Every structure is written in C-alpha cells, then in structure tokens.
Amino acid sequence: MTAELVRGQNHTLPQTRLEIRVSAGTPVVAGATLGDERGTVRGVEWIAHPGSPQLPGLEVSQQAAADHRLAVDLEALPAGAHRVTVLLALPVGAGGPARFGAVPAPFVAVTGLDGAEIATFTLTGLDAESAVSALELYRRQDAWKVRAVGQGYAGGLAEMLADQGVAEATGLAGSIQEAVTRGLARSVAPPPRTQGGDRVRHATGSADHRPPTPPAPEPPEPLADPATTPQPHTATGPAAGPIDYAHPRRQHAAPPSPPPTAPAPQPGQAAQPVAGDATGWSMDERLYNQIWGMFEDLARAVAAYRSAVDFAESRMDQELDRALSDPRNRIGGAGDRAREGARAKRDELTSRAREVLDRDLAQLAAEAAVVEPALPAAYAGWGNPVWHAHRVPMEIPMALRVGDLHLPERTDLRIPLLVRLPLERGIWVDSGRTASEAAAPMDTDRLRRLAMETAVAHAARLLAVYPPGEFSVHVIDPAGAAAAPLAPLVDAGVLAGPPAAGPGGVASVLAHLTRRVDLVQMAVRAGAADSLPPDLDTGEQLLVVNDFPHGFDDRAVTQLRYLADEGPAVGVHLLMVADREEARAYGPVLDPLWRSLLRITPVADSHLADPWVGHAWTYEPLAVPPGSRVLEQVLTAVAAARRAADR
C-alpha cells in the first residue's frame, strides 16, 4: 500500500534498490546529495547533478525536464553515506518560471524497480522558492527510511547547497546551471500539451528508463488504472507469440472525429499498425503526436535495454568480487566455476533484455513503415512521392521535418525530427570540421557547400509549406561564395531580394529586419497592430546567413544577436551557416547566440539529445535523391502560386 506522506512524515523502505520519480509540470533540475550521519555533504564528490550525474549507487538526469527518474541502490552507496537528499531547482536563464509558486506543485514518488509506489509526496505551499529539498532517504539502526522534507530556498540552488555544508556552493551552483543550459541547448524541445489534455504519455512498460539499475526483465505493472492513465504503445508482454500492433492502451482525448482504425484482425492474427493512431483534432496533428510518441518510446526502450546491460555487468562484477574475496576460491577450479557462472547469468540477463528490445523495435519499425507513406509534405522526406504532387497550401502546417534521428541499436529505424511552426528558435547549420567526427576528414570547401545546400533545402521546404505571400526569405552572403548552392532559390525568383553581399549589403538587410522587429513589438505592446506602416511585410521572415562571421562588424553582430533573441516572437527567424571556430575571436559574447539556435549538420552526426532520457541521437540531414529535380519543381510551384496570389 502506498504511503502518502506529508511534510516531516517518514516511512520505512522495504527494499534498497529504488527509483525516485519526479513530475513537475515544467522543466526542473533534479539532483541528489549524499550526507554523513550528521547530514553533512563531504564534498562535490558526494553530489550528483546534471554535470556529474553518476555516483556509486546513485544516478540522476543529465538535463532539466518536467519528468525525472533517479536510480538509487542504497547498498552500493559510498562508505559513510547515511543520507540521500533529493534536490529540485528551477533552471536559471532558460526563459521559464523563476519561482515554484508559479508552477504546479511538484510530485515525488519512491518506487520499487517493478514500478510499485512505496511512498509519495506532493510539495505544496511553495511560493518564492526557486530550489527545494524534496525528500531524503536516511539510515536509522541498519534500516532505511524516507522522509518528506519540502524545505524551499528563495536563494536558489546556491543557498540550498550551502545549507548542507557544501563549500563554494555559489560556484558549484553556477556550474550546475551552466551544464543545464548546455543540455537545454542541445535538447530537442518536446511538443506542447494537446488541447484534449496531456499528450500521449509513456509512463510504464518495457521502454521505461531506469538507470543505472534496471527493472527485472519481466514487465512492470502499470502505475495507475489504465482506464484513466495514458499508457505507452510499446509492447510489454512476454516475448513469445505474435507482436501486438493494436496499441490497446494508447489513450485518446476525444477529438471531433475519432482517429482511423485498422480492420479487425482475424482470430490468431495480430492487428496491423495504423497511421494517425494518436490524439489530435486533425490528421496532421494525430500524425505529429504519433511521431513524437514513437520518438519517446524508442528513447525509453533503448534506455531500458542499456540499463539492463549495465546492471548485468555490474551484477557479474559483484558476484566475482564476492566469490574471489574468499581465498579458498582462488585455488583449484572454484574460481573458474564462479567466473563461468557469473558470466552465464550476465549473458542470460543481457539476452532477455535484448529480446524485449527487439520486440519493441520490431513494433516501432512496423509502425514507422505505415506512418512514413502517410505523411503530408511538411513531415515527409524529399524522396516521398507526396512532394512530386505538392501544391502550396492555404494553411500553415503544425511542424516541419528537418531531418531524421536514429540510435545505434537499430540504425534503419529512423524517427522524423519535427520542429513546430512558426519556428520557435533559429537553426544553425554547422559547417565546421572540429565538432563532428563525420565532418573531420572532409574537405573544408566541400563541407561548406554541403552546409549551404542544406540551408537552401530547408528554406525551400519552408517556402513550400507556407501559403503564398506569408513567408519571405532574405539571404546574406557577404563574399558571394554561395552563388552555386543559392542558384535554385535565385533562379526561381522566390527570394525577397538578391543575396546581400559586402558590408553595405549586410548592414542594409540587418537594418531592415531589425526595424521590422522593433515596429511589430511596439505595435503589439500598444495594442495597435493596425497602425503598422503599409509597406511593412507582416508575413514570416527568414534570414539565411552564410559564412558567419565574415563580413560582420561589431554592430552587425549585435543586430544579429538581437534578431535571434527577439525575432522569433514577432516572426523573424535565423538560418545560419557558420563554423563556430571561426567566430572564436568574439569569445563568450556569442555563446548565447549559439545556444539559442538548433544545431544541425550537413553530414550525419551524434549531437542532439531527446528531452526524456538524454540519449545522443545520430542526426541525418534530409537529402534530395540523386538526379531528382524535386527541389526545382517545388520552388517553381511556389513561384507560380505567388504570381497567382498577386493577380
């Protein structure tokens, strides 16, 4: 039976291998400290945080998120550790809330590895605090207990760490927040909540993330009644038998018309996956949510498998240590038998975990095979036939595909990377060789050309999915080095003007877009949108910048940073092609600019992280099929639609 704790109440823990689940409703930083008998933290080596997420017997998340899972093995803690304190803090400088009083009350649950809740605590009554000590696990007379703490700190993470006796608490808090900021910069933003409630949640099942001590290979029970709690669509039953593709536990939020369903299977046959099997008010929204559901399921399935493998290795090492610590086992064949037995158990656990993973991957691959052909142009790759019959739409789609993501466990299972429209952050196509293993051996000129071709392809996709006249593209090419990659845009006549070259051209375009941002901001704040100048283009604007920072003086750099910070809110977006190493002369001045942009690469590279587990995903850029003229055909259709709209 679950103990629902109130502040100050404690409860005995029936086991030592635990998971602590945090649900906050907004991204928070989760960490933990180890304390001695007096509760004192002996040093930074006793603190687990996003910048240093692992300690013996303890692992926390590597980035800020609305939901966290902390893994705890109380028997594996360092000698002298008698207390584990779970800490929560709001990220600094992330544009989110600055106090817990402005967000839903965080909920913390201590569970076993099977998902069964042991104790829960809702942190109510917080107001100006930006950091809170949520709960603590402590040893009392050889028994472990959990206590609900709920102590908040208006001074933030630094004050909370100082209260636990941490020296240099301010500096450590700053380094933790810096690690969180870096994590948020490389993380793919999750989709917002749907109108019908929470988006599809994946709270239980074999795809859950439980590092470093995974669940038993058998599937856990649901955390709540499946009739009221959304469940994952990954399979969680035994590996034997046909794969069930029906997703019986995926919940829907009652849109105006129900999503399509597959024909009822014949007895003994498995149901087939369905495109659009997710919550949504339209087919596009259902496909969008389905893709994100697949993305999350794949992340959690692989996390569970990797954790199971780590656990199997750790268990083997512990068994070998115990067996060989007895001198009698070091003589004769006892030691060899111990090693063989430990390795056999390791192999069995790993094999069972791989069976579960393969089942989940097979289900996701079957779903992807059905979803991919059903995607609209905005979600589809260049090789999809939908682009050959594309017509410029009359409405803006929900999102745009900017590439594919995959993990090494199955590289052919690709998840479309969708970004919301209008763009919420700019895009940076990295043309550098030092930040990517795949790019390192490439010729510099060829890499820069590929980067600019990637930017042109994304600009073309944006032009194609916006209604005529509602999206304009400006180009800054200071040295005129991108004439060949820009030819499709220039020849089709879809640019707002000729590519700007030289210092004068750079200054002119930046001044024009900066003026637009200023005027729209003033009109919005004054509630006088109808008073904008008649010559002002109120459609979305995209600025493509090649070879930054060449051709940019200090004023131009300041204007570009201003557009990156203030532009997205009023319809001005950046698409930069740049090598960060070439901008080193500006030092940390440009760090906020790089962090504000979604970094993609012209070649495959493992640099993006998911918002749930934090895997490093391999990003694959969208490529036009060799010999295809689909890009030119799409831009021709865009130009024709614009001419028709101007008549």
Side-chain angles (χ1 to χ4, degrees):
M1 184 174 179
T2 304
E4 298 182 1
L5 305 180
V6 297
R7 193 174 271 106
Q9 187 178 1
N10 61 42
H11 181 73
T12 301
L13 294 172
Q15 57 200 75
T16 56
R17 291 177 57 203
L18 307 164
E19 186 172 81
I20 299 174
R21 305 184 178 187
V22 178
S23 297
T26 190
V28 297
V29 182
T33 61
L34 303 180
D36 57 19
E37 292 179 333
R38 296 184 299 275
T40 302
V41 180
R42 294 183 177 177
V44 294
E45 66 276 5
W46 273 23
I47 303 176
H49 56 82
S52 179
Q54 292 184 341
L55 295 178
L58 179 63
E59 183 169 352
V60 303
S61 304
Q62 299 184 46
Q63 59 191 47
D67 300 294
H68 291 273
R69 297 192 175 196
L70 285 65
V72 182
D73 185 349
L74 298 173
E75 293 182 349
L77 295 177
H82 289 258
R83 184 173 305 182
V84 179
T85 304
V86 177
L87 315 175
L88 304 178
L90 293 170
V92 174
R99 60 188 185 89
F100 274 108
V103 303
F107 173 80
V108 184
V110 180
T111 76
L113 295 184
D114 59 356
E117 292 182 346
I118 300 171
T120 64
F121 176 40
T122 302
L123 285 75
T124 58
L126 299 175
D127 186 12
E129 298 89 345
S130 60
V132 60
S133 176
L135 54 79
E136 63 182 13
L137 314 177
Y138 63 98
R139 194 201 312 259
R140 180 65 55 85
Q141 297 178 349
D142 295 329
W144 283 91
K145 296 184 177 183
V146 55
R147 177 187 291 122
V149 180
Q151 173 64 52
Y153 296 85
L157 191 57
E159 182 182 357
M160 181 166 56
L161 293 174
D163 190 47
Q164 296 192 34
V166 178
E168 303 294 335
T170 301
L172 177 59
S175 65
I176 293 173
Q177 293 288 4
E178 177 63 24
V180 172
T181 300
R182 291 195 301 269
L184 289 172
R186 65 188 289 266
S187 175
V188 179
R193 304 291 182 180
T194 62
Q195 298 180 19
D198 286 354
R199 64 181 177 84
V200 177
R201 297 292 299 278
H202 307 262
T204 64
S206 64
D208 284 355
H209 181 218
R210 299 182 172 88
T213 50
E218 292 78 7
E221 294 296 321
L223 298 180
D225 182 359
T228 58
T229 302
Q231 302 295 331
H233 75 277
T234 51
T236 56
I243 300 170
D244 180 10
Y245 293 118
H247 315 313
R249 295 182 298 170
R250 178 178 282 174
Q251 303 297 305
H252 302 277
S257 58
T261 57
Q266 298 297 322
Q269 294 181 345
Q272 296 301 309
V274 176
D277 184 21
T279 299
W281 296 90
S282 66
M283 188 59 172
D284 282 6
E285 185 177 2
R286 291 198 293 268
L287 287 168
Y288 174 82
N289 288 332
Q290 184 175 15
I291 289 171
W292 272 93
M294 294 164 60
F295 187 11
E296 181 173 359
D297 283 348
L298 180 54
R300 295 195 184 279
V302 171
Y305 168 71
R306 293 179 180 177
S307 294
V309 172
D310 290 343
F311 168 67
E313 293 286 348
S314 174
R315 178 173 173 173
M316 181 186 69
D317 292 340
Q318 291 175 3
E319 291 182 354
L320 289 175
D321 289 342
R322 285 196 297 267
L324 299 180
S325 63
D326 187 347
R328 291 171 297 181
N329 291 337
R330 302 174 189 171
I331 302 174
D336 293 337
R337 289 192 296 271
R339 277 188 284 269
E340 291 175 0
R343 288 169 183 154
K345 291 180 181 179
R346 185 269 315 273
D347 293 342
E348 179 185 3
L349 288 175
T350 301
S351 176
R352 292 169 65 187
R354 185 70 208 194
E355 288 178 3
V356 173
L357 177 66
D358 288 342
R359 183 189 62 230
D360 291 341
L361 294 180
Q363 179 176 354
L364 287 168
E367 187 172 10
V370 172
V371 168
E372 187 70 37
L375 295 178
Y379 301 176
W382 286 115
N384 193 309
V386 69
W387 278 107
H388 294 281
H390 178 65
R391 296 293 181 269
V392 178
M394 299 307 296
E395 293 183 355
I396 302 173
M398 285 189 60
L400 182 75
R401 185 173 184 167
V402 296
D404 292 330
L405 300 172
H406 66 81
L407 291 171
E409 281 71 12
R410 183 160 177 176
T411 57
D412 64 325
L413 179 53
R414 307 295 176 90
I415 302 296
L417 174 57
L418 302 180
V419 295
R420 292 280 294 196
L421 294 180
L423 293 173
E424 298 170 349
R425 61 193 293 198
I427 298 175
W428 163 31
V429 184
D430 191 350
S431 61
R433 300 171 57 206
T434 58
S436 169
E437 292 184 5
M442 295 183 64
D443 176 72
T444 300
D445 293 337
R446 180 168 177 264
L447 185 61
R448 288 179 176 176
R449 181 186 176 95
L450 283 176
M452 195 59 196
E453 289 175 349
T454 301
V456 168
H458 288 310
R461 292 174 71 87
L462 284 164
L463 285 165
V465 301
Y466 269 80
E470 294 192 19
F471 196 86
S472 298
V473 176
H474 309 260
V475 175
I476 290 179
D477 184 20
L486 286 170
L489 296 175
V490 175
D491 294 344
V494 294
L495 295 178
V506 172
S508 176
V509 172
L510 291 176
H512 170 73
L513 293 176
T514 301
R515 171 179 175 269
R516 184 193 181 282
V517 172
D518 291 339
L519 290 175
V520 174
Q521 281 186 337
M522 289 188 291
V524 170
R525 291 168 183 165
D530 56 349
S531 64
L532 289 169
D535 63 336
L536 187 75
D537 183 359
T538 57
E540 300 282 313
Q541 311 287 311
L542 177 71
L543 174 59
V544 180
V545 179
N546 180 46
D547 218 13
F548 176 82
H550 297 294
F552 281 71
D553 56 19
D554 290 345
R555 175 179 173 81
V557 169
T558 301
Q559 288 177 313
L560 192 69
R561 285 189 55 191
Y562 175 73
L563 293 178
D565 293 338
E566 304 294 335
V570 291
V572 176
H573 314 283
L574 289 184
L575 177 53
M576 290 181 51
V577 177
D579 179 357
R580 187 170 183 173
E581 288 298 309
E582 295 183 354
R584 282 187 303 173
Y586 289 95
V589 173
L590 290 180
D591 285 350
L593 173 64
W594 304 120
R595 287 197 296 261
S596 70
L597 304 173
L598 172 64
R599 176 178 173 254
I600 62 176
T601 51
V603 294
D605 186 52
S606 301
H607 67 278
L608 291 176
D610 64 80
W612 307 284
V613 181
H615 291 315
W617 293 72
T618 297
Y619 167 81
E620 292 274 0
L622 296 177
V624 176
S628 173
R629 295 192 57 81
V630 63
L631 182 64
E632 290 77 6
Q633 294 170 4
V634 167
L635 291 174
T636 299
V638 170
R642 287 187 171 186
R643 290 192 296 269
D646 292 339
R647 291 173 186 166

